[in-house]
């Protein structure tokens, strides 16, 4: 294998373009390839989990951000795929994808993170975020700016002003007219817009933690840590790519530097932001649902209490109004026949006329007038069955007799 020029660990039929994927002497390719492949599988699983949990999310504030999470996950998966373009050798396809997709995928990731910061800033202050389509539209606008910049830069450097081979590690015949023939400084300068997005996410995440809501401040802390580690990774690979490789390793270290930067930053996105957000989709919703149930139950008890109080008040008012319509007890005439129940005289105790009048006088209130009492009439003897003759006698002996006959009344004075 050494005499044939085949790298150790690769077969004889493996093209030299893909030798870094199996070359055991270049361990960095195998290690980065392993992490990138695991990242692709893990990102796909997380994306399916995110979309599968969408029907179970009831909170509108959390549900509006699922679209941004899905877009962010797609761009993160693209970073893992792009890592393989830096592991394999250089040709026109791989170099074009490197120059164009490096800024496009990172621009998409940080555009989604910036819109997440905008959403959380609004929620931390108003407790009601914007709609999901507004967030996706804002992220799309920020991402398209990087797409336009990279497209224009790629067209200018390849079509109008092609450069000769500068730092190509592949054979000259393969890399002479490829997009890889650019200086490292030019590659970094084309990513200034992405660096601006990173700093914007870092600053916006700080404002989230100044809000009042604890839940959104935790999400802001995750964004802050994610953006801070991303800044560290970008500073490290930029310094190494522009200054360190020229002084120590030369052009052979360029591809490992960019591949490691892609894989490490993508894993930071997964571990520090994507996984906590997916785990918090249902946890935050359950807590809010419990709080809502407690609120509704307390409102129900209060409402029933109000109904009870109101019904008792209405009954009191109605009873009071009814009692006000009735005449007072003192003004009611008391009849001596009120004790009569219609039963046989022998079976029921019948008080005398004097007892009834005495009882009525003693039971009436002090303000009752005497003339309101109806006297009981006396019946005549059996001889005067055709007429009733009530009589009164005065103390002097004078007697007044009143006879009632027919339709007239005759008063006859007797001595």
């Amino acid at each position: 294998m050494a005499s044939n020029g085949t790298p150790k660990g690769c077969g004889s039929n493996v093209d030299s373009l893909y030798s870094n994927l199996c070359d055991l002497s270049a361990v960095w390719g195998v290690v980065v390839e392993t992490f990138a492949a695991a990242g692709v599988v893990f990102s796909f699983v997380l994306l399916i989990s995110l979309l599968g949990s969408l029907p179970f999310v009831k909170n509108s504030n959390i549900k509006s951000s699922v679209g941004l999470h899905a877009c962010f996950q797609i761009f993160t998966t693209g970073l893992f795929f792009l890592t393989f373009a830096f592991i394999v050798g250089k040709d026109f396809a791989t170099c074009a994808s490197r120059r164009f997709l490096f800024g496009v995928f990172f621009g998409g990731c940080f555009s989604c993170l910036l819109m997440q910061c905008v959403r959380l800033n609004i929620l931390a202050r108003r407790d009601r975020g914007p709609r999901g389509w507004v967030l996706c539209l804002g992220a799309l606008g920020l991402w398209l700016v990087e797409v336009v910049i990279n497209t224009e830069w790629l067209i200018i450097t390849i079509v109008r002003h092609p450069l000769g081979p500068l730092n190509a590690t592949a054979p000259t015949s393969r890399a002479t007219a490829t997009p890889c023939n650019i200086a490292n400084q030019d590659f970094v300068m084309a990513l200034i817009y992405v660096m601006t997005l990173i700093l914007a996410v870092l600053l916006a995440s700080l404002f989230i933690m100044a809000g009042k809501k604890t839940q959104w401040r935790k999400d802001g802390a995750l964004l802050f840590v994610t953006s801070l580690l991303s800044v560290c990774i970008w500073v490290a690979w930029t310094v190494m790519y522009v200054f360190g490789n020229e002084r120590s390793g030369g052009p052979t270290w360029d591809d490992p530097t960019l591949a490691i930067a892609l894989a490490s930053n993508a894993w930071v996105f997964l571990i520090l932001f994507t996984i906590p957000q997916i785990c918090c989709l249902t946890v935050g919703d359950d807590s809010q649902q419990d709080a809502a149930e407690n609120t509704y139950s307390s409102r129900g008890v209060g409402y029933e209490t109000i109904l009870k109080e109101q019904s008792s008040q209405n009954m009191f008012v109605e009873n009071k109004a009814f009692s006000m319509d009735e005449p007072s007890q003192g003004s009611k005439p008391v009849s001596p026949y009120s004790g009569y129940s219609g039963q046989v005289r022998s079976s029921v105790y019948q008080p005398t006329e004097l007892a009834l009048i005495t009882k009525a006088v003693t039971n009436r209130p002090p303000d009752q007038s005497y003339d309101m009492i109806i006297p009981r009439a006396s019946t005549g003897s059996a001889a005067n069955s055709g007429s009733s003759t009530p009589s009164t006698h005065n103390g002097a002996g004078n007697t007044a007799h009143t006879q009632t006959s027919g339709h007239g009344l005759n008063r006859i004075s007797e001595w």
Side-chain angles (χ1 to χ4, degrees), residues 123-155:
L123 285 173
R125 288 159 179 81
R126 298 183 181 178
D127 205 12
R128 183 173 181 83
R131 297 181 180 272
W133 65 269
V134 176
L135 298 173
C136 293
L137 190 62
L140 179 64
L142 294 174
W143 175 66
L144 287 178
V145 175
E146 178 62 23
V147 173
V148 171
I149 292 174
N150 277 14
T151 303
E152 183 180 3
W153 178 67
L154 193 64
I155 293 174

PDB file of all heavy atoms in Angstrom, residues 123-155:
ATOM      1  N   LEU A 123     -41.709  39.085  25.004  1.00  0.00           N
ATOM      2  CA  LEU A 123     -42.412  38.297  26.023  1.00  0.00           C
ATOM      3  C   LEU A 123     -41.994  38.687  27.433  1.00  0.00           C
ATOM      4  O   LEU A 123     -42.813  38.667  28.358  1.00  0.00           O
ATOM      5  CB  LEU A 123     -42.133  36.809  25.801  1.00  0.00           C
ATOM      6  CG  LEU A 123     -42.853  36.142  24.634  1.00  0.00           C
ATOM      7  CD1 LEU A 123     -42.346  34.721  24.439  1.00  0.00           C
ATOM      8  CD2 LEU A 123     -44.351  36.138  24.862  1.00  0.00           C
ATOM      9  N   ALA A 124     -40.721  39.034  27.622  1.00  0.00           N
ATOM     10  CA  ALA A 124     -40.246  39.391  28.957  1.00  0.00           C
ATOM     11  C   ALA A 124     -40.837  40.700  29.448  1.00  0.00           C
ATOM     12  O   ALA A 124     -40.816  40.979  30.652  1.00  0.00           O
ATOM     13  CB  ALA A 124     -38.724  39.473  28.959  1.00  0.00           C
ATOM     14  N   ARG A 125     -41.388  41.487  28.546  1.00  0.00           N
ATOM     15  CA  ARG A 125     -41.939  42.792  28.938  1.00  0.00           C
ATOM     16  C   ARG A 125     -43.445  42.884  28.767  1.00  0.00           C
ATOM     17  O   ARG A 125     -44.104  43.609  29.496  1.00  0.00           O
ATOM     18  CB  ARG A 125     -41.251  43.892  28.124  1.00  0.00           C
ATOM     19  CG  ARG A 125     -39.810  44.124  28.571  1.00  0.00           C
ATOM     20  CD  ARG A 125     -38.973  44.805  27.502  1.00  0.00           C
ATOM     21  NE  ARG A 125     -37.612  45.034  27.992  1.00  0.00           N
ATOM     22  CZ  ARG A 125     -36.663  44.126  28.013  1.00  0.00           C
ATOM     23  NH1 ARG A 125     -36.927  42.903  27.563  1.00  0.00           N
ATOM     24  NH2 ARG A 125     -35.457  44.407  28.479  1.00  0.00           N
ATOM     25  N   ARG A 126     -44.007  42.179  27.797  1.00  0.00           N
ATOM     26  CA  ARG A 126     -45.441  42.262  27.557  1.00  0.00           C
ATOM     27  C   ARG A 126     -46.179  40.958  27.813  1.00  0.00           C
ATOM     28  O   ARG A 126     -47.402  40.923  27.772  1.00  0.00           O
ATOM     29  CB  ARG A 126     -45.700  42.699  26.110  1.00  0.00           C
ATOM     30  CG  ARG A 126     -45.140  44.078  25.774  1.00  0.00           C
ATOM     31  CD  ARG A 126     -45.497  44.457  24.358  1.00  0.00           C
ATOM     32  NE  ARG A 126     -44.958  45.769  23.984  1.00  0.00           N
ATOM     33  CZ  ARG A 126     -45.101  46.321  22.789  1.00  0.00           C
ATOM     34  NH1 ARG A 126     -45.765  45.675  21.851  1.00  0.00           N
ATOM     35  NH2 ARG A 126     -44.571  47.502  22.532  1.00  0.00           N
ATOM     36  N   ASP A 127     -45.456  39.871  27.981  1.00  0.00           N
ATOM     37  CA  ASP A 127     -46.026  38.545  28.229  1.00  0.00           C
ATOM     38  C   ASP A 127     -46.895  38.076  27.067  1.00  0.00           C
ATOM     39  O   ASP A 127     -47.758  37.209  27.232  1.00  0.00           O
ATOM     40  CB  ASP A 127     -46.846  38.531  29.520  1.00  0.00           C
ATOM     41  CG  ASP A 127     -46.923  37.125  30.103  1.00  0.00           C
ATOM     42  OD1 ASP A 127     -46.172  36.250  29.629  1.00  0.00           O
ATOM     43  OD2 ASP A 127     -47.740  36.897  31.004  1.00  0.00           O
ATOM     44  N   ARG A 128     -46.693  38.613  25.890  1.00  0.00           N
ATOM     45  CA  ARG A 128     -47.393  38.165  24.681  1.00  0.00           C
ATOM     46  C   ARG A 128     -46.490  38.460  23.499  1.00  0.00           C
ATOM     47  O   ARG A 128     -46.208  39.625  23.205  1.00  0.00           O
ATOM     48  CB  ARG A 128     -48.740  38.862  24.530  1.00  0.00           C
ATOM     49  CG  ARG A 128     -49.528  38.364  23.308  1.00  0.00           C
ATOM     50  CD  ARG A 128     -50.922  38.941  23.285  1.00  0.00           C
ATOM     51  NE  ARG A 128     -51.670  38.455  22.150  1.00  0.00           N
ATOM     52  CZ  ARG A 128     -52.318  37.288  22.113  1.00  0.00           C
ATOM     53  NH1 ARG A 128     -52.299  36.517  23.180  1.00  0.00           N
ATOM     54  NH2 ARG A 128     -52.982  36.910  21.051  1.00  0.00           N
ATOM     55  N   GLY A 129     -46.023  37.413  22.837  1.00  0.00           N
ATOM     56  CA  GLY A 129     -45.064  37.559  21.756  1.00  0.00           C
ATOM     57  C   GLY A 129     -45.726  37.721  20.402  1.00  0.00           C
ATOM     58  O   GLY A 129     -46.943  37.575  20.252  1.00  0.00           O
ATOM     59  N   PRO A 130     -44.947  38.010  19.375  1.00  0.00           N
ATOM     60  CA  PRO A 130     -45.487  38.125  18.015  1.00  0.00           C
ATOM     61  C   PRO A 130     -45.880  36.766  17.461  1.00  0.00           C
ATOM     62  O   PRO A 130     -45.565  35.713  18.023  1.00  0.00           O
ATOM     63  CB  PRO A 130     -44.314  38.745  17.232  1.00  0.00           C
ATOM     64  CG  PRO A 130     -43.099  38.369  17.996  1.00  0.00           C
ATOM     65  CD  PRO A 130     -43.505  38.309  19.446  1.00  0.00           C
ATOM     66  N   ARG A 131     -46.558  36.783  16.329  1.00  0.00           N
ATOM     67  CA  ARG A 131     -47.008  35.549  15.703  1.00  0.00           C
ATOM     68  C   ARG A 131     -45.839  34.797  15.087  1.00  0.00           C
ATOM     69  O   ARG A 131     -44.791  35.368  14.801  1.00  0.00           O
ATOM     70  CB  ARG A 131     -48.064  35.845  14.647  1.00  0.00           C
ATOM     71  CG  ARG A 131     -49.332  36.483  15.214  1.00  0.00           C
ATOM     72  CD  ARG A 131     -50.344  36.722  14.130  1.00  0.00           C
ATOM     73  NE  ARG A 131     -51.556  37.318  14.661  1.00  0.00           N
ATOM     74  CZ  ARG A 131     -52.584  36.639  15.132  1.00  0.00           C
ATOM     75  NH1 ARG A 131     -52.539  35.313  15.124  1.00  0.00           N
ATOM     76  NH2 ARG A 131     -53.654  37.242  15.600  1.00  0.00           N
ATOM     77  N   GLY A 132     -46.044  33.511  14.860  1.00  0.00           N
ATOM     78  CA  GLY A 132     -44.982  32.676  14.333  1.00  0.00           C
ATOM     79  C   GLY A 132     -44.568  33.059  12.926  1.00  0.00           C
ATOM     80  O   GLY A 132     -43.362  33.039  12.593  1.00  0.00           O
ATOM     81  N   TRP A 133     -45.529  33.418  12.066  1.00  0.00           N
ATOM     82  CA  TRP A 133     -45.170  33.764  10.696  1.00  0.00           C
ATOM     83  C   TRP A 133     -44.394  35.071  10.636  1.00  0.00           C
ATOM     84  O   TRP A 133     -43.564  35.272   9.732  1.00  0.00           O
ATOM     85  CB  TRP A 133     -46.416  33.841   9.831  1.00  0.00           C
ATOM     86  CG  TRP A 133     -47.379  34.937  10.210  1.00  0.00           C
ATOM     87  CD1 TRP A 133     -48.417  34.849  11.074  1.00  0.00           C
ATOM     88  CD2 TRP A 133     -47.374  36.277   9.713  1.00  0.00           C
ATOM     89  NE1 TRP A 133     -49.069  36.048  11.173  1.00  0.00           N
ATOM     90  CE2 TRP A 133     -48.465  36.949  10.334  1.00  0.00           C
ATOM     91  CE3 TRP A 133     -46.583  36.976   8.811  1.00  0.00           C
ATOM     92  CZ2 TRP A 133     -48.750  38.283  10.076  1.00  0.00           C
ATOM     93  CZ3 TRP A 133     -46.884  38.308   8.543  1.00  0.00           C
ATOM     94  CH2 TRP A 133     -47.953  38.941   9.170  1.00  0.00           C
ATOM     95  N   VAL A 134     -44.611  35.964  11.580  1.00  0.00           N
ATOM     96  CA  VAL A 134     -43.834  37.208  11.622  1.00  0.00           C
ATOM     97  C   VAL A 134     -42.376  36.908  11.979  1.00  0.00           C
ATOM     98  O   VAL A 134     -41.445  37.472  11.387  1.00  0.00           O
ATOM     99  CB  VAL A 134     -44.466  38.184  12.637  1.00  0.00           C
ATOM    100  CG1 VAL A 134     -43.624  39.446  12.760  1.00  0.00           C
ATOM    101  CG2 VAL A 134     -45.886  38.535  12.231  1.00  0.00           C
ATOM    102  N   LEU A 135     -42.181  36.008  12.924  1.00  0.00           N
ATOM    103  CA  LEU A 135     -40.814  35.631  13.307  1.00  0.00           C
ATOM    104  C   LEU A 135     -40.091  34.945  12.152  1.00  0.00           C
ATOM    105  O   LEU A 135     -38.922  35.242  11.870  1.00  0.00           O
ATOM    106  CB  LEU A 135     -40.864  34.710  14.525  1.00  0.00           C
ATOM    107  CG  LEU A 135     -41.455  35.298  15.805  1.00  0.00           C
ATOM    108  CD1 LEU A 135     -41.584  34.220  16.868  1.00  0.00           C
ATOM    109  CD2 LEU A 135     -40.594  36.435  16.319  1.00  0.00           C
ATOM    110  N   CYS A 136     -40.762  34.029  11.486  1.00  0.00           N
ATOM    111  CA  CYS A 136     -40.130  33.335  10.350  1.00  0.00           C
ATOM    112  C   CYS A 136     -39.838  34.301   9.208  1.00  0.00           C
ATOM    113  O   CYS A 136     -38.800  34.176   8.533  1.00  0.00           O
ATOM    114  CB  CYS A 136     -41.041  32.204   9.874  1.00  0.00           C
ATOM    115  SG  CYS A 136     -41.241  30.858  11.059  1.00  0.00           S
ATOM    116  N   LEU A 137     -40.732  35.260   8.995  1.00  0.00           N
ATOM    117  CA  LEU A 137     -40.493  36.238   7.934  1.00  0.00           C
ATOM    118  C   LEU A 137     -39.301  37.132   8.263  1.00  0.00           C
ATOM    119  O   LEU A 137     -38.493  37.472   7.381  1.00  0.00           O
ATOM    120  CB  LEU A 137     -41.755  37.092   7.731  1.00  0.00           C
ATOM    121  CG  LEU A 137     -41.770  38.014   6.508  1.00  0.00           C
ATOM    122  CD1 LEU A 137     -41.672  37.202   5.227  1.00  0.00           C
ATOM    123  CD2 LEU A 137     -43.031  38.864   6.499  1.00  0.00           C
ATOM    124  N   GLY A 138     -39.153  37.504   9.533  1.00  0.00           N
ATOM    125  CA  GLY A 138     -37.994  38.301   9.924  1.00  0.00           C
ATOM    126  C   GLY A 138     -36.695  37.538   9.784  1.00  0.00           C
ATOM    127  O   GLY A 138     -35.678  38.071   9.314  1.00  0.00           O
ATOM    128  N   ALA A 139     -36.705  36.260  10.197  1.00  0.00           N
ATOM    129  CA  ALA A 139     -35.503  35.435  10.029  1.00  0.00           C
ATOM    130  C   ALA A 139     -35.173  35.227   8.560  1.00  0.00           C
ATOM    131  O   ALA A 139     -33.980  35.214   8.174  1.00  0.00           O
ATOM    132  CB  ALA A 139     -35.706  34.085  10.727  1.00  0.00           C
ATOM    133  N   LEU A 140     -36.189  35.070   7.733  1.00  0.00           N
ATOM    134  CA  LEU A 140     -35.948  34.919   6.295  1.00  0.00           C
ATOM    135  C   LEU A 140     -35.312  36.165   5.696  1.00  0.00           C
ATOM    136  O   LEU A 140     -34.394  36.073   4.862  1.00  0.00           O
ATOM    137  CB  LEU A 140     -37.265  34.597   5.587  1.00  0.00           C
ATOM    138  CG  LEU A 140     -37.210  34.432   4.063  1.00  0.00           C
ATOM    139  CD1 LEU A 140     -36.339  33.238   3.695  1.00  0.00           C
ATOM    140  CD2 LEU A 140     -38.618  34.279   3.498  1.00  0.00           C
ATOM    141  N   GLY A 141     -35.772  37.334   6.123  1.00  0.00           N
ATOM    142  CA  GLY A 141     -35.183  38.573   5.623  1.00  0.00           C
ATOM    143  C   GLY A 141     -33.723  38.727   6.019  1.00  0.00           C
ATOM    144  O   GLY A 141     -32.881  39.133   5.200  1.00  0.00           O
ATOM    145  N   LEU A 142     -33.415  38.410   7.268  1.00  0.00           N
ATOM    146  CA  LEU A 142     -32.014  38.492   7.708  1.00  0.00           C
ATOM    147  C   LEU A 142     -31.137  37.472   6.983  1.00  0.00           C
ATOM    148  O   LEU A 142     -29.969  37.754   6.661  1.00  0.00           O
ATOM    149  CB  LEU A 142     -31.941  38.259   9.228  1.00  0.00           C
ATOM    150  CG  LEU A 142     -32.593  39.321  10.111  1.00  0.00           C
ATOM    151  CD1 LEU A 142     -32.570  38.876  11.566  1.00  0.00           C
ATOM    152  CD2 LEU A 142     -31.895  40.658   9.960  1.00  0.00           C
ATOM    153  N   TRP A 143     -31.702  36.297   6.727  1.00  0.00           N
ATOM    154  CA  TRP A 143     -30.915  35.254   6.056  1.00  0.00           C
ATOM    155  C   TRP A 143     -30.669  35.585   4.586  1.00  0.00           C
ATOM    156  O   TRP A 143     -29.591  35.304   4.050  1.00  0.00           O
ATOM    157  CB  TRP A 143     -31.641  33.923   6.198  1.00  0.00           C
ATOM    158  CG  TRP A 143     -30.991  32.790   5.457  1.00  0.00           C
ATOM    159  CD1 TRP A 143     -29.778  32.236   5.715  1.00  0.00           C
ATOM    160  CD2 TRP A 143     -31.533  32.083   4.347  1.00  0.00           C
ATOM    161  NE1 TRP A 143     -29.521  31.218   4.832  1.00  0.00           N
ATOM    162  CE2 TRP A 143     -30.590  31.105   3.981  1.00  0.00           C
ATOM    163  CE3 TRP A 143     -32.728  32.181   3.624  1.00  0.00           C
ATOM    164  CZ2 TRP A 143     -30.805  30.226   2.925  1.00  0.00           C
ATOM    165  CZ3 TRP A 143     -32.938  31.300   2.586  1.00  0.00           C
ATOM    166  CH2 TRP A 143     -31.986  30.345   2.244  1.00  0.00           C
ATOM    167  N   LEU A 144     -31.651  36.169   3.930  1.00  0.00           N
ATOM    168  CA  LEU A 144     -31.497  36.491   2.506  1.00  0.00           C
ATOM    169  C   LEU A 144     -30.410  37.523   2.271  1.00  0.00           C
ATOM    170  O   LEU A 144     -29.812  37.566   1.185  1.00  0.00           O
ATOM    171  CB  LEU A 144     -32.828  36.980   1.937  1.00  0.00           C
ATOM    172  CG  LEU A 144     -33.898  35.902   1.734  1.00  0.00           C
ATOM    173  CD1 LEU A 144     -35.181  36.524   1.204  1.00  0.00           C
ATOM    174  CD2 LEU A 144     -33.392  34.821   0.789  1.00  0.00           C
ATOM    175  N   VAL A 145     -30.127  38.363   3.237  1.00  0.00           N
ATOM    176  CA  VAL A 145     -29.038  39.332   3.088  1.00  0.00           C
ATOM    177  C   VAL A 145     -27.698  38.605   2.916  1.00  0.00           C
ATOM    178  O   VAL A 145     -26.897  38.928   2.024  1.00  0.00           O
ATOM    179  CB  VAL A 145     -28.995  40.288   4.301  1.00  0.00           C
ATOM    180  CG1 VAL A 145     -27.782  41.211   4.209  1.00  0.00           C
ATOM    181  CG2 VAL A 145     -30.272  41.103   4.379  1.00  0.00           C
ATOM    182  N   GLU A 146     -27.462  37.591   3.729  1.00  0.00           N
ATOM    183  CA  GLU A 146     -26.229  36.809   3.601  1.00  0.00           C
ATOM    184  C   GLU A 146     -26.203  36.013   2.302  1.00  0.00           C
ATOM    185  O   GLU A 146     -25.135  35.848   1.682  1.00  0.00           O
ATOM    186  CB  GLU A 146     -26.094  35.865   4.801  1.00  0.00           C
ATOM    187  CG  GLU A 146     -24.881  34.966   4.763  1.00  0.00           C
ATOM    188  CD  GLU A 146     -23.565  35.714   4.768  1.00  0.00           C
ATOM    189  OE1 GLU A 146     -23.539  36.885   5.228  1.00  0.00           O
ATOM    190  OE2 GLU A 146     -22.563  35.122   4.327  1.00  0.00           O
ATOM    191  N   VAL A 147     -27.347  35.520   1.853  1.00  0.00           N
ATOM    192  CA  VAL A 147     -27.405  34.796   0.586  1.00  0.00           C
ATOM    193  C   VAL A 147     -27.013  35.705  -0.574  1.00  0.00           C
ATOM    194  O   VAL A 147     -26.228  35.318  -1.462  1.00  0.00           O
ATOM    195  CB  VAL A 147     -28.809  34.198   0.377  1.00  0.00           C
ATOM    196  CG1 VAL A 147     -28.935  33.597  -1.015  1.00  0.00           C
ATOM    197  CG2 VAL A 147     -29.105  33.145   1.429  1.00  0.00           C
ATOM    198  N   VAL A 148     -27.514  36.930  -0.567  1.00  0.00           N
ATOM    199  CA  VAL A 148     -27.181  37.885  -1.634  1.00  0.00           C
ATOM    200  C   VAL A 148     -25.698  38.244  -1.590  1.00  0.00           C
ATOM    201  O   VAL A 148     -25.024  38.319  -2.633  1.00  0.00           O
ATOM    202  CB  VAL A 148     -28.070  39.135  -1.502  1.00  0.00           C
ATOM    203  CG1 VAL A 148     -27.603  40.235  -2.456  1.00  0.00           C
ATOM    204  CG2 VAL A 148     -29.521  38.781  -1.770  1.00  0.00           C
ATOM    205  N   ILE A 149     -25.162  38.451  -0.402  1.00  0.00           N
ATOM    206  CA  ILE A 149     -23.744  38.808  -0.268  1.00  0.00           C
ATOM    207  C   ILE A 149     -22.848  37.685  -0.787  1.00  0.00           C
ATOM    208  O   ILE A 149     -21.912  37.911  -1.575  1.00  0.00           O
ATOM    209  CB  ILE A 149     -23.413  39.143   1.199  1.00  0.00           C
ATOM    210  CG1 ILE A 149     -24.101  40.432   1.627  1.00  0.00           C
ATOM    211  CG2 ILE A 149     -21.910  39.260   1.401  1.00  0.00           C
ATOM    212  CD1 ILE A 149     -23.947  40.760   3.090  1.00  0.00           C
ATOM    213  N   ASN A 150     -23.120  36.456  -0.390  1.00  0.00           N
ATOM    214  CA  ASN A 150     -22.288  35.328  -0.822  1.00  0.00           C
ATOM    215  C   ASN A 150     -22.433  35.055  -2.316  1.00  0.00           C
ATOM    216  O   ASN A 150     -21.455  34.692  -2.990  1.00  0.00           O
ATOM    217  CB  ASN A 150     -22.646  34.071  -0.023  1.00  0.00           C
ATOM    218  CG  ASN A 150     -21.942  34.020   1.316  1.00  0.00           C
ATOM    219  OD1 ASN A 150     -21.391  35.021   1.761  1.00  0.00           O
ATOM    220  ND2 ASN A 150     -21.968  32.883   1.962  1.00  0.00           N
ATOM    221  N   THR A 151     -23.644  35.223  -2.837  1.00  0.00           N
ATOM    222  CA  THR A 151     -23.835  34.999  -4.272  1.00  0.00           C
ATOM    223  C   THR A 151     -23.048  36.008  -5.089  1.00  0.00           C
ATOM    224  O   THR A 151     -22.356  35.652  -6.066  1.00  0.00           O
ATOM    225  CB  THR A 151     -25.330  35.072  -4.613  1.00  0.00           C
ATOM    226  OG1 THR A 151     -26.055  34.115  -3.820  1.00  0.00           O
ATOM    227  CG2 THR A 151     -25.570  34.791  -6.085  1.00  0.00           C
ATOM    228  N   GLU A 152     -23.161  37.257  -4.715  1.00  0.00           N
ATOM    229  CA  GLU A 152     -22.427  38.296  -5.438  1.00  0.00           C
ATOM    230  C   GLU A 152     -20.916  38.096  -5.315  1.00  0.00           C
ATOM    231  O   GLU A 152     -20.169  38.223  -6.308  1.00  0.00           O
ATOM    232  CB  GLU A 152     -22.836  39.661  -4.888  1.00  0.00           C
ATOM    233  CG  GLU A 152     -22.201  40.833  -5.614  1.00  0.00           C
ATOM    234  CD  GLU A 152     -22.622  42.160  -5.033  1.00  0.00           C
ATOM    235  OE1 GLU A 152     -23.371  42.152  -4.030  1.00  0.00           O
ATOM    236  OE2 GLU A 152     -22.209  43.195  -5.569  1.00  0.00           O
ATOM    237  N   TRP A 153     -20.463  37.766  -4.126  1.00  0.00           N
ATOM    238  CA  TRP A 153     -19.027  37.569  -3.925  1.00  0.00           C
ATOM    239  C   TRP A 153     -18.511  36.372  -4.713  1.00  0.00           C
ATOM    240  O   TRP A 153     -17.424  36.386  -5.298  1.00  0.00           O
ATOM    241  CB  TRP A 153     -18.757  37.382  -2.437  1.00  0.00           C
ATOM    242  CG  TRP A 153     -17.328  37.129  -2.086  1.00  0.00           C
ATOM    243  CD1 TRP A 153     -16.280  37.991  -2.202  1.00  0.00           C
ATOM    244  CD2 TRP A 153     -16.792  35.920  -1.541  1.00  0.00           C
ATOM    245  NE1 TRP A 153     -15.115  37.413  -1.763  1.00  0.00           N
ATOM    246  CE2 TRP A 153     -15.405  36.135  -1.349  1.00  0.00           C
ATOM    247  CE3 TRP A 153     -17.335  34.697  -1.188  1.00  0.00           C
ATOM    248  CZ2 TRP A 153     -14.558  35.157  -0.831  1.00  0.00           C
ATOM    249  CZ3 TRP A 153     -16.507  33.728  -0.667  1.00  0.00           C
ATOM    250  CH2 TRP A 153     -15.127  33.962  -0.493  1.00  0.00           C
ATOM    251  N   LEU A 154     -19.307  35.305  -4.758  1.00  0.00           N
ATOM    252  CA  LEU A 154     -18.891  34.116  -5.500  1.00  0.00           C
ATOM    253  C   LEU A 154     -18.837  34.383  -7.000  1.00  0.00           C
ATOM    254  O   LEU A 154     -17.913  33.932  -7.694  1.00  0.00           O
ATOM    255  CB  LEU A 154     -19.856  32.961  -5.195  1.00  0.00           C
ATOM    256  CG  LEU A 154     -19.432  31.558  -5.625  1.00  0.00           C
ATOM    257  CD1 LEU A 154     -18.189  31.140  -4.862  1.00  0.00           C
ATOM    258  CD2 LEU A 154     -20.566  30.569  -5.386  1.00  0.00           C
ATOM    259  N   ILE A 155     -19.796  35.117  -7.503  1.00  0.00           N
ATOM    260  CA  ILE A 155     -19.801  35.430  -8.941  1.00  0.00           C
ATOM    261  C   ILE A 155     -18.628  36.329  -9.312  1.00  0.00           C
ATOM    262  O   ILE A 155     -17.948  36.124 -10.342  1.00  0.00           O
ATOM    263  CB  ILE A 155     -21.147  36.071  -9.326  1.00  0.00           C
ATOM    264  CG1 ILE A 155     -22.281  35.048  -9.195  1.00  0.00           C
ATOM    265  CG2 ILE A 155     -21.103  36.631 -10.739  1.00  0.00           C
ATOM    266  CD1 ILE A 155     -23.651  35.632  -9.418  1.00  0.00           C
TER     267      ILE A 155
END
